[in-house]
Amino acid sequence: MTGAVVVKGLQKRYGNLAVLKGLDFSVNKGEIFALLGVNGAGKTTALECMEGLRKYDGGTIELNGKTGIQLQSASLPEHLKAIEAVRLFAKWNRIAPDREMLGTLGIDEIAKKQYRQLSTGQKRRLHLALALTRNPDILFLDEPTAGLDVEGRIALHRQIRRLKAQGKTVLLASHDMAEVEELCDRIAILTQGKIAFIGSVTQLHEKVGKHYNIIIQTERGTDQYESDCIEKTLLALLTQYQESGITIHDIRVDRGTLEQHFMQIAKGE
């Protein structure tokens, strides 16, 4: 696979504050890639540098293809109708509107509404439709589902999968771990301006997944335990329950959620 986005040694400072301290990563063509990090980690700044919206102080950024951008915060003239915005962007890019894409995102339902009449979720769907109007090869999404209802989220996820099937590259920043786990091929976790982890969700689980959660349902209720050595802990617990004459109804073991693992990495633990 060829690199759609290649970032080498990316640096950004605000005065004496170093926000990005030499980021190195690449995003493959046709990949859904997420930048994760707690507030202030630098993910939005990194996106804005790649989008060309913010100057950076060092390093290089290579984009191999046309880009489309959905910003975390954007606005249009209040009296502009949704369909007018779509037609205007299509005319600028000398391309016909994608009727299937507009239908998938529910733009047909709000076509004649003025921008000021749209809800937050409807505005975000419209912004995404405008980002997709020029048929981009690389799509940048900053918190794409913020403010969307369940139906809107489902529509957006459907559209992102459709883009991937078409060979498009999607790079997003999100706080929604369920969304990331469902959609992304790989993730990068930023901590204090550096990449603390990069890889698949499965690889993240393997990296920090030695910590197990054990939930045992018995006749007297539910007991929860944590362990770094599942074999020894389970053997000791089962022996303890048997010697105490307590009947076990169910046992569940998991390696923690993506959000737990993300926080563990993001906080440098």
Side-chain angles (χ1 to χ4, degrees):
M1 300 177 71
T2 58
V5 180
V6 181
V7 176
K8 295 182 179 179
L10 182 61
Q11 300 177 39
K12 175 62 183 176
R13 303 182 65 89
Y14 296 112
N16 295 324
L17 177 63
V19 178
L20 302 179
K21 305 174 184 178
L23 302 188
D24 290 289
F25 67 91
S26 63
V27 182
N28 297 319
K29 180 180 179 181
E31 184 175 36
I32 302 176
F33 186 93
L35 281 177
L36 308 179
V38 297
N39 290 335
K43 58 185 183 299
T44 294
T45 296
L47 273 187
E48 290 176 345
C49 289
M50 287 182 279
E51 293 162 349
L53 300 177
R54 191 173 297 278
K55 292 183 179 180
Y56 48 96
D57 302 312
T60 61
I61 297 173
E62 179 183 339
L63 303 177
N64 296 311
K66 293 186 299 181
T67 61
I69 303 170
Q70 183 197 37
L71 299 174
Q72 188 175 26
S73 177
S75 184
L76 292 170
E78 288 192 351
H79 297 289
L80 189 68
K81 293 180 180 179
I83 192 61
E84 292 174 339
V86 170
R87 289 171 179 165
L88 182 60
F89 272 62
K91 187 172 183 178
W92 280 341
N93 290 282
R94 299 179 181 179
I95 191 171
D98 184 339
R99 303 306 307 180
E100 184 179 354
M101 178 269 290
L102 295 177
T104 299
L105 292 177
I107 304 303
D108 294 338
E109 303 168 6
I110 61 173
K112 296 183 179 181
K113 285 188 175 182
Q114 294 179 334
Y115 188 75
R116 62 184 176 85
Q117 297 174 312
L118 302 180
S119 68
T120 300
Q122 290 171 335
K123 289 178 179 178
R124 294 196 67 80
R125 280 190 279 155
L126 176 59
H127 295 158
L128 177 59
L130 298 180
L132 293 172
T133 297
R134 69 186 306 232
N135 191 25
D137 303 298
I138 305 166
L139 182 64
F140 292 98
L141 304 175
D142 196 350
E143 300 293 342
T145 57
L148 290 182
D149 56 18
V150 174
E151 184 178 357
R153 289 165 57 88
I154 292 173
L156 174 61
H157 291 178
R158 186 185 304 120
Q159 181 62 28
I160 290 176
R161 292 191 188 94
R162 178 183 174 222
L163 293 169
K164 177 179 171 63
Q166 294 173 350
K168 310 293 187 183
T169 303
V170 180
L171 202 158
L172 61 89
S174 177
H175 282 100
D176 188 334
M177 294 297 109
E179 176 175 80
V180 168
E181 190 162 17
E182 180 180 353
L183 292 175
C184 295
D185 299 300
R186 288 191 303 145
I187 62 176
I189 299 177
L190 273 61
T191 303
Q192 297 179 348
K194 298 180 179 179
I195 293 179
F197 171 85
I198 187 167
S200 67
V201 172
T202 299
Q203 290 171 329
L204 177 61
H205 285 314
E206 291 173 350
K207 180 178 177 66
V208 297
K210 293 182 179 180
H211 184 80
Y212 293 87
N213 299 318
I214 304 170
I215 301 174
I216 299 179
Q217 185 75 38
T218 71
E219 56 190 5
R220 66 181 187 182
T222 301
D223 299 324
Q224 298 187 40
Y225 307 91
E226 296 181 357
S227 173
D228 291 326
C229 183
I230 188 65
E231 297 90 348
K232 291 182 179 179
T233 303
L234 271 179
L235 181 59
L237 288 172
L238 292 175
T239 300
Q240 177 183 330
Y241 280 107
Q242 185 178 36
E243 292 177 350
S244 302
I246 300 172
T247 301
I248 296 176
H249 294 158
D250 185 41
I251 298 177
R252 188 169 78 251
V253 179
D254 65 60
R255 303 177 96 181
T257 65
L258 174 60
E259 185 170 4
Q260 290 171 332
H261 295 165
F262 158 68
M263 291 305 299
Q264 190 172 343
I265 293 289
K267 291 182 178 180
E269 297 177 358

